[in-house]
Amino acid sequence: MGDVLVFAEHQGGHFPKTTLVAVNAGLEVARKRSGNCLAVIMGEGAENAAAEIAKFGVSKVIVLEDPRLEHHLADAAAQALASLIKSTGAETMLATATAMGKDLMPRLAARLNAPMASEIIAINDDGTFVRPMYAGNALATIELDGPVRVVTVRGTAFDAVKPTETAAPIEKVKAELDPASLKMEFVSFNEIKSDRPQLTEARIVVSGGRGLKSGENFKTVLEPLVDEMGAAMGASRAAVDAGFVPNDLQVGQTGKVVAPELYVAVGISGAIQHLAGMKDSKTIVAINKDEEAPIFSVADYGLVADLFKAVPEMVEAMKKIKH
């Protein structure tokens, strides 16, 4: 049987949508390989998280316990997961391609000397995977040859798994770690708090580009639109590189990949790097004064206009509708 272990990334005992996407992909792999799908949890709040993920269709939840796993450190987590894979005989180790997943899974693959497929978007009946290449301009079918396969899933490629009526059993396992081989040390965790939705979780994303010209314009022009729409704020790489906004807002191939119900691109030309991170959005609206901008090639609705005039008008129109 081809059992699947899913690394269930959580935040203080609660799961983001991206983890539920990974579980859904893991369940699909397990069905096609006639195996079971098991969720693996570690870190602070793991017990609460285990009780929650047990309701999402997995066969079992494994909680890896060790004080050195309380905070995410990739070397300790990779070592613990490698030992668990060997003891369970699992065929596939799967995680979402988040910052944590991208940090952890390649280390695990190297430790296991196992083949890896990154950011898959589909699972074929023959056990092969499909992943985008060249910023999504080509799709490759990947076959992983080995007793263990390591896979990361694009967080927008599958639907989030739905809860079930029954809960899976939870097993606590003492992690096998060699203290002498651990080189990383947890120093601190600085969380950026915001009243807005998280970028990868939001139903609506409003992103700004270089056309906004300054960080101050992000605050005075774009933020009112973001807040009026109840959206998350994003940005293009050009805006981040120019120092207008911090890089945790970057949408694109080297930033976050999003697929909200509505994506509004303001002053973004639409370089291929940016399109790779948002073109799967359900509805795309583009505002740009250049009618030849590439963003219009993927937009469902396009407005050729000066954003400094159009955006404030949109904000006023929404205020009138609400009041």
Side-chain angles (χ1 to χ4, degrees):
M1 289 200 309
D3 287 352
V4 180
L5 294 179
V6 176
F7 174 65
E9 180 182 338
H10 63 95
Q11 298 165 352
H14 298 287
F15 293 97
K17 178 185 174 184
T18 49
T19 296
L20 302 180
V21 166
V23 172
N24 198 13
L27 290 167
E28 186 173 337
V29 173
R31 280 194 298 269
K32 291 180 177 180
R33 306 291 284 187
S34 300
N36 297 311
C37 179
L38 295 76
V40 184
I41 295 178
M42 62 183 80
E44 188 177 10
E47 288 193 14
N48 292 336
E52 184 179 340
I53 203 69
K55 303 171 186 174
F56 284 88
V58 296
S59 302
K60 184 165 69 172
V61 180
I62 298 174
V63 179
L64 280 173
E65 295 186 316
D66 191 286
R68 289 160 292 195
L69 296 175
E70 182 177 4
H71 302 288
H72 175 72
L73 295 173
D75 60 349
Q79 191 177 131
L81 285 174
S83 298
L84 181 65
I85 289 168
K86 291 173 182 176
S87 65
T88 59
E91 180 185 80
T92 305
M93 181 73 224
L94 188 145
T96 317
T98 58
M100 190 180 294
K102 292 175 182 178
D103 182 39
L104 175 57
M105 290 298 116
R107 296 171 187 270
L108 178 62
R111 183 175 282 275
L112 294 169
N113 194 26
M116 178 175 175
S118 300
E119 292 203 50
I120 67 157
I121 59 171
I123 302 157
N124 296 322
D125 290 337
D126 61 359
T128 58
F129 303 102
V130 178
R131 68 176 299 268
M133 298 176 65
Y134 304 110
N137 286 317
L139 297 178
T141 299
I142 307 294
E143 181 178 8
L144 301 181
D145 185 18
V148 180
R149 309 181 302 169
V150 179
V151 178
T152 60
V153 178
R154 177 164 285 194
T156 59
F158 299 83
D159 293 330
V161 67
K162 303 296 184 186
T164 58
E165 294 181 359
T166 57
I170 298 172
E171 179 184 355
K172 295 181 179 180
V173 176
K174 183 173 175 55
E176 294 184 25
L177 295 174
D178 175 18
S181 66
L182 301 179
K183 307 299 183 186
M184 294 182 177
E185 179 183 349
F186 177 78
V187 177
S188 65
F189 176 66
N190 299 315
E191 184 178 8
I192 299 173
K193 302 236 181 229
S194 174
D195 293 332
R196 299 191 183 105
Q198 287 191 27
L199 190 53
T200 54
E201 304 282 310
R203 290 177 53 252
I204 303 172
V205 173
V206 177
S207 287
R210 187 162 41 194
L212 279 155
K213 298 182 180 178
S214 71
E216 182 62 28
N217 286 332
F218 265 82
K219 293 180 180 178
T220 59
V221 178
L222 197 65
E223 281 192 9
L225 180 62
V226 172
D227 293 337
E228 203 64 38
M229 297 183 74
M233 181 186 281
S236 68
R237 178 174 176 174
V240 170
D241 286 351
F244 298 166
V245 290
N247 60 11
D248 61 301
L249 298 184
Q250 183 178 326
V251 173
Q253 187 177 14
T254 54
K256 293 182 171 70
V257 177
V258 299
E261 293 179 20
L262 174 62
Y263 187 90
V264 182
V266 180
I268 295 175
S269 63
I272 188 65
Q273 190 273 345
H274 186 76
L275 299 185
M278 46 64 71
K279 64 183 179 181
D280 291 330
S281 303
K282 306 298 184 291
T283 302
I284 300 171
V285 176
I287 303 171
N288 200 297
K289 65 181 180 181
D290 177 12
E291 63 182 21
E292 301 296 327
I295 191 70
F296 290 123
S297 67
V298 298
D300 298 286
Y301 302 94
L303 176 61
V304 179
D306 181 353
L307 71 87
F308 294 103
K309 183 171 182 289
V311 172
E313 288 177 352
M314 290 172 64
V315 173
E316 289 304 313
M318 280 187 281
K319 285 181 178 177
K320 288 178 181 178
I321 292 171
K322 288 183 177 180
H323 304 295

